[in-house]
């Protein structure tokens, strides 16, 4: 533990957050959500894409972002009915004012968009804000549209038989939404909910306009360089991301490489190449990093309370924020080292399992 603290402090140079994490219970469903303050001068919210499906970790490094959730529906290579050797999507994306789309009209898809001044709105060809397409700076096109001006929009999709079995099932739901005053964008996950249940819960989560995003095997979520959903089961093509100005993710990656190198040298020396001992030492360092992370977050975490039906306060969740770039750099670095040690430990445990299986065969 002391070694980790010492290394982190050595490698952190002197470097406000519209990147607030909220975990809350609503209508019996757990929400894990990022709140982005649209007035922020320090953070940028973007949509990013790649032509070749990749994991979120790589996509993050390519776009200097620290918080992510995956984006729109697409055809992956493991869907036989897609009949493709390369993942693709026909759904609309606008990236910094440039449109990427297969069709001229959105059809039954809807677009969650924001203009160059970061004012969010819903766009749908011939139906909603039809004259606003030229105002779009970033967007995601998907279906179904969940809420428009508080109204539940699922009825039309039910009538057209566009609500499939997966949408009817209780599962983790992925969404993006904005509040009524257009002051915040929220994106993240609703757990153990049908699409109808998620939509009703979103109305109680300040969502005024809301769009469904891709989920199931594509679900992947990262906050401040740390996976909240892991492992990633399918490579993705796009994501909603938050970037912190004056924070260079590549520089942090270089720092973690130096720290990890020192930790691995220590582990190799102490474990004497024993996989079981390597697993133990990796776990010990990860527990140490987890302890540091909790202490670093404690100062900037707060519980969320709401008045219940008898007028008493109930704790319904918590939120995490950070007022300083230096603190954020510390957290991001800790998470970077932690995630890489976690990956190494998974590889070690896989080797241990393989060795055990080999021994069983020999016996």
């Amino acid at each position: 533990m002391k070694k980790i603290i010492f290394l982190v402090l050595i490698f952190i140079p002197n470097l406000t957050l519209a990147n607030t994490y909220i975990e809350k219970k609503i209508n019996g469903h757990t929400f894990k959500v990022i709140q982005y303050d649209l007035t922020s001068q320090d953070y940028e919210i973007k949509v990013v894409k790649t032509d070749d499906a990749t994991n979120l970790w790589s996509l993050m490094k390519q776009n200097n972002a620290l918080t992510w959730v995956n984006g729109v529906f697409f055809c992956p290579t493991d869907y036989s009915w897609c009949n493709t050797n390369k993942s693709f999507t026909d759904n609309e994306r606008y990236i910094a004012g440039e449109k990427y789309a297969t069709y001229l009209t959105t059809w039954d898809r809807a677009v969650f968009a924001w203009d160059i001044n970061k004012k969010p709105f819903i766009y749908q060809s011939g139906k909603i804000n039809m004259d606003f397409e030229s105002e779009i700076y970033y967007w995601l096109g998907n279906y179904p549209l969940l809420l428009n001006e508080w109204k539940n929009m699922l009825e039309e999709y039910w009538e057209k038989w566009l609500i499939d079995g997966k949408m009817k099932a209780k599962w983790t739901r992925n969404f993006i939404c904005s509040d009524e005053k257009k002051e915040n964008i929220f994106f993240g996950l609703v757990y153990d909910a049908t699409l109808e249940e998620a939509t009703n819960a979103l109305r109680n989560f300040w969502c005024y306009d809301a769009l469904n995003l891709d989920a199931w095997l594509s679900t992947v979520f990262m906050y401040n360089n740390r996976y909240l959903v892991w492992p990633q089961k399918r490579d993705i093509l796009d994501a909603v991301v938050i970037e912190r100005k004056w924070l260079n993710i590549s520089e942090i990656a270089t720092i973690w490489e130096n720290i990890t190198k020192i930790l691995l040298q220590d582990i190799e020396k102490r474990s004497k190449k024993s996989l079981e001992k390597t697993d133990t030492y990796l776990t010990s360092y990860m527990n140490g990093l987890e302890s540091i992370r909790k202490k670093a977050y404690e100062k900037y975490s707060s519980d969320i309370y709401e008045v219940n039906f008898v007028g008493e306060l109930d704790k319904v969740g918590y939120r995490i924020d950070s007022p300083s770039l230096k603190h954020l750099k510390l957290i991001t670095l800790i998470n970077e080292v932690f995630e890489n040690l976690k990956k190494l430990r998974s590889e070690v445990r896989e080797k241990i399992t393989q060795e055990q299986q080999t021994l069983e065969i020999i016996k």
Side-chain angles (χ1 to χ4, degrees):
M1 169 79 87
K2 291 181 179 179
K3 179 173 287 189
I4 293 176
I5 296 173
F6 177 73
L7 288 172
V8 168
L9 291 176
I10 280 181
F11 284 103
I12 292 265
N14 287 328
L15 274 180
T16 343
L17 218 106
N19 170 27
T20 300
Y21 175 76
I22 298 173
E23 188 164 324
K24 185 180 180 183
K25 280 272 191 181
I26 299 178
N27 294 11
H29 303 289
T30 296
F31 277 66
K32 293 184 178 180
V33 178
I34 304 302
Q35 177 181 355
Y36 177 82
D37 183 343
L38 288 160
T39 64
S40 174
Q41 301 298 312
D42 296 320
Y43 288 81
E44 292 292 341
I45 185 169
K46 302 177 180 179
V47 175
V48 300
K49 76 173 192 69
T50 176
D51 293 329
D52 298 306
T54 188
N55 60 73
L56 186 62
W57 192 260
S58 298
L59 203 55
M60 179 188 74
K61 305 301 180 188
Q62 295 167 18
N63 291 278
N64 195 46
L66 68 156
T67 296
W68 302 69
V69 74
N70 58 293
V72 304
F73 293 153
F74 66 99
C75 253
T77 56
D78 57 324
Y79 275 18
S80 58
W81 57 267
C82 287
N83 191 27
T84 180
N85 294 319
K86 182 178 180 179
S87 298
F88 70 91
T89 183
D90 292 328
N91 289 20
E92 297 80 4
R93 281 85 55 86
Y94 255 98
I95 311 291
E98 185 172 356
K99 183 178 181 178
Y100 299 89
T102 303
Y103 306 110
L104 294 177
T105 179
T106 63
W107 302 100
D108 294 306
R109 295 180 301 279
V111 169
F112 186 92
W114 54 95
D115 62 22
I116 197 168
N117 297 313
K118 295 193 288 190
K119 181 180 179 180
F121 59 94
I122 298 295
Y123 167 81
Q124 191 174 27
S125 301
K127 292 184 178 181
I128 303 173
N129 293 322
M130 62 219 39
D131 298 325
F132 281 30
E133 184 174 5
S134 62
E135 302 297 318
I136 296 171
Y137 192 61
Y138 282 106
W139 82 355
L140 288 163
N142 213 54
Y143 84 91
L145 177 61
L146 304 177
L147 295 172
N148 183 36
E149 298 179 350
W150 296 123
K151 182 182 178 183
N152 185 323
M153 301 299 290
L154 292 180
E155 183 177 351
E156 181 178 337
Y157 294 94
W158 280 104
E159 291 174 352
K160 293 183 177 182
W161 296 88
L162 291 174
I163 305 295
D164 62 24
K166 289 182 179 180
M167 296 178 183
K168 298 174 187 177
K170 284 184 176 291
W171 197 256
T172 303
R173 302 292 163 190
N174 186 0
F175 73 93
I176 186 168
C177 78
S178 57
D179 58 8
E180 184 176 12
K181 294 182 178 180
K182 312 295 184 183
E183 294 176 342
N184 299 279
I185 287 177
F186 303 93
F187 61 84
L189 306 177
V190 185
Y191 284 81
D192 193 32
T194 66
L195 203 61
E196 190 76 45
E197 289 172 339
T199 301
N200 291 332
L202 285 168
R203 295 179 68 180
N204 294 322
F205 191 77
W206 315 303
C207 289
Y208 183 69
D209 293 325
L211 180 68
N212 182 55
L213 297 178
D214 197 12
W216 293 84
L217 294 182
S218 301
T219 303
V220 60
F221 193 12
M222 181 174 286
Y223 177 62
N224 286 349
N225 230 13
R226 181 193 183 190
Y227 277 110
L228 299 182
V229 175
W230 186 87
Q232 183 172 344
K233 297 178 181 178
R234 177 182 290 141
D235 287 345
I236 57 175
L237 289 172
D238 46 49
V240 182
V241 311
I242 292 178
E243 178 182 7
R244 176 58 162 95
K245 294 179 181 178
W246 307 293
L247 178 63
N248 190 320
I249 296 296
S250 296
E251 285 182 1
I252 290 175
T254 301
I255 295 171
W256 86 254
E257 287 173 359
N258 292 329
I259 293 177
T260 305
K261 182 179 179 180
I262 294 171
L263 295 180
L264 292 180
Q265 286 174 345
D266 178 65
I267 289 173
E268 184 176 3
K269 180 179 178 181
R270 296 167 66 190
S271 67
K272 297 180 181 179
K273 298 185 178 180
S274 164
L275 290 176
E276 286 77 10
K277 288 183 179 179
T278 299
D279 183 5
T280 299
Y281 291 130
L282 283 170
T283 300
S284 177
Y285 279 131
M286 289 171 62
N287 289 340
L289 286 166
E290 180 67 27
S291 177
I292 297 171
R293 174 168 51 212
K294 286 182 179 179
K295 289 180 180 178
Y297 270 142
E298 276 177 4
K299 187 176 180 181
Y300 304 114
S301 300
S302 57
D303 293 328
I304 299 172
Y305 292 90
E306 290 183 353
V307 179
N308 62 26
F309 68 98
V310 294
E312 298 175 341
L313 286 177
D314 287 337
K315 179 182 174 182
V316 296
Y318 68 94
R319 62 192 295 128
I320 300 172
D321 211 330
S322 173
S324 74
L325 183 55
K326 185 175 181 180
H327 177 266
L328 181 62
K329 187 164 186 178
L330 170 64
I331 288 294
T332 305
L333 176 58
I334 289 170
N335 288 341
E336 181 93 24
V337 177
F338 182 91
E339 291 298 331
N340 281 280
L341 292 182
K342 181 169 69 175
K343 180 180 178 182
L344 289 170
R345 189 179 66 174
S346 295
E347 294 171 356
V348 168
R349 288 183 173 179
E350 185 176 346
K351 289 179 181 178
I352 292 173
T353 300
Q354 290 172 352
E355 285 189 356
Q356 291 172 343
Q357 290 173 346
T358 301
L359 288 173
E360 287 295 323
I361 292 172
I362 293 173
K363 291 179 181 179

